[in-house]
Amino acid sequence: MSEDAVERATRTLEEGIVRDDGTAMSYADYLDLGTLLAAQHPRSDPPQHDELLFIVQHQVSELWLKLLVHELRSARALLAEDNLSQALKRLARVKHVQRQLVEMWDVLATLTPSEYARIRPFLATSSGFQSDQYRAVEFLLGNKNADLVRVVEHDDRARASLEQLLEEPTLYDELLRLLARRGYAVPPGVLARDVREPYRLVPELVEVFALVYAAPEEHWGVYETCEELVDVEDLFQQWRFRHLQVVTRTIGAKPGTGGSSGVGFLRRALDLTFFPELYAVRAQVG
């Protein structure tokens, strides 16, 4: 390689770039990388190479879930304030995060059954079923279940978070309240429902959405929000399905470490829906 080529291939450190001399906030300081990168504690004995993948995968998932809860809470608050455009911005970000979570399963799927079998005994009874942030996302979207709070009852932070969300309206509740404020014929029973309970389909509400879908140009903001929520549910179902696939290829019909039936339990979750009227209305379009 010529001297000119070597010079072109070398990137000179610019004079203006701040060196870490310990007196100013650094990248590592801002992100608290000392804590973050020291949070992986493999437990296998003898050590198993693939355990770090398993730990990092789930820690990163929890970080994305933290952001999802943050954005969904904000979207819900914005709907309560009749700020539909900003709520849609939040939901757009939610979908991008969901895609990251879906695609992450491809990395974990590189873990073969024999590799996972060498790690699994060291998980003991720990399980993703115990993720309070995953439950927080479900509670925000409408799949409320007070019994699930008991799964984390010995974790004060997790229990308090889920108990609070159990008492609060869901994202969909706030959309329906917004519709009522805008003059749509939302049944009073929907507005007065017990928000601690999982949401159930209301046939009269399907008729309200049928008017929106019959003339989307006249109801564009509401129509767009409905389709955004369908996208959110679609991506959530993709996450569930990829989870099912990866568990199936990794442990087959074995029960889950947290005591669930494993694949059967995950398969039944595919029947759950957050926004039933937004799917039911499709039979009336056209």
Side-chain angles (χ1 to χ4, degrees):
M1 183 181 294
S2 68
E3 290 185 6
D4 287 344
V6 170
E7 185 176 347
R8 288 196 301 272
T10 302
R11 185 169 63 169
T12 303
L13 190 62
E14 297 175 356
E15 286 299 320
I17 292 178
V18 177
R19 276 72 166 172
D20 183 6
D21 61 2
T23 62
M25 180 181 289
S26 69
Y27 176 78
D29 293 334
Y30 180 73
L31 296 178
D32 199 6
L33 291 183
T35 300
L36 183 64
L37 298 180
Q40 296 73 47
H41 305 290
R43 299 172 186 270
S44 55
D45 186 18
Q48 298 298 316
H49 172 82
D50 299 295
E51 190 176 8
L52 185 61
L53 160 63
F54 191 84
I55 292 171
V56 169
Q57 168 93 17
H58 288 82
Q59 287 182 337
V60 172
S61 294
E62 288 296 327
L63 288 172
W64 282 129
L65 288 171
K66 182 174 184 175
L67 183 57
L68 274 185
V69 171
H70 176 68
E71 298 296 343
L72 287 170
R73 281 181 179 274
S74 178
R76 183 184 61 177
L78 289 164
L79 289 175
E81 298 168 1
D82 288 294
N83 193 339
L84 202 56
S85 60
Q86 284 298 310
L88 288 170
K89 178 68 166 63
R90 298 290 188 270
L91 292 178
R93 182 176 293 165
V94 162
K95 294 194 300 182
H96 283 294
V97 174
Q98 287 181 288
R99 291 187 184 98
Q100 294 297 316
L101 283 163
V102 171
E103 291 175 1
M104 282 178 60
W105 287 116
D106 292 342
V107 183
L108 196 62
T110 65
L111 193 66
T112 68
S114 57
E115 290 166 345
Y116 180 61
R118 290 192 286 269
I119 299 170
R120 198 173 195 234
F122 301 97
L123 273 64
T125 57
S126 65
S127 166
F129 184 78
Q130 299 156 356
S131 169
D132 65 284
Q133 293 197 120
Y134 174 82
R135 296 301 166 199
V137 171
E138 285 204 317
F139 280 19
L140 280 160
L141 293 177
N143 186 26
K144 299 282 189 79
N145 186 338
D147 286 342
L148 291 174
V149 180
R150 294 166 50 201
V151 176
V152 296
E153 63 185 347
H154 296 299
D155 182 332
D156 292 341
R157 176 201 58 79
R159 187 186 67 252
S161 173
L162 292 182
E163 286 177 343
Q164 178 185 351
L165 287 172
L166 192 65
E167 301 288 342
E168 295 174 348
T170 69
L171 182 73
Y172 196 43
D173 286 324
E174 290 296 359
L175 174 63
L176 298 179
R177 294 175 183 185
L178 180 149
L179 294 182
R181 292 193 297 272
R182 294 192 175 189
Y184 291 87
V186 178
V190 172
L191 302 174
R193 81 177 193 89
D194 182 355
V195 297
R196 293 173 53 90
E197 296 297 321
Y199 187 85
R200 305 296 185 202
L201 183 141
V202 178
E204 298 89 343
L205 194 54
V206 178
E207 300 303 318
V208 174
F209 286 116
L211 293 174
V212 173
Y213 277 77
E217 296 82 4
E218 298 175 21
H219 309 271
W220 185 256
V222 173
Y223 175 78
E224 184 180 12
T225 306
C226 291
E227 286 300 287
E228 286 289 301
L229 291 183
V230 170
D231 285 346
V232 168
E233 175 150 345
D234 189 353
L235 285 161
F236 201 95
Q237 290 287 51
Q238 288 181 43
W239 187 94
R240 283 173 170 159
F241 183 66
R242 286 296 291 129
H243 187 190
L244 170 64
Q245 285 182 307
V246 172
V247 170
T248 300
R249 69 182 288 166
T250 306
I251 66 169
K254 291 178 183 177
T257 52
S260 75
S261 58
V263 167
F265 179 81
L266 296 176
R267 185 172 288 116
R268 288 192 295 276
L270 292 172
D271 294 329
L272 299 174
T273 182
F274 299 121
F275 319 120
E277 292 87 4
L278 298 186
Y279 285 90
V281 74
R282 281 153 164 74
Q284 300 191 28
V285 176

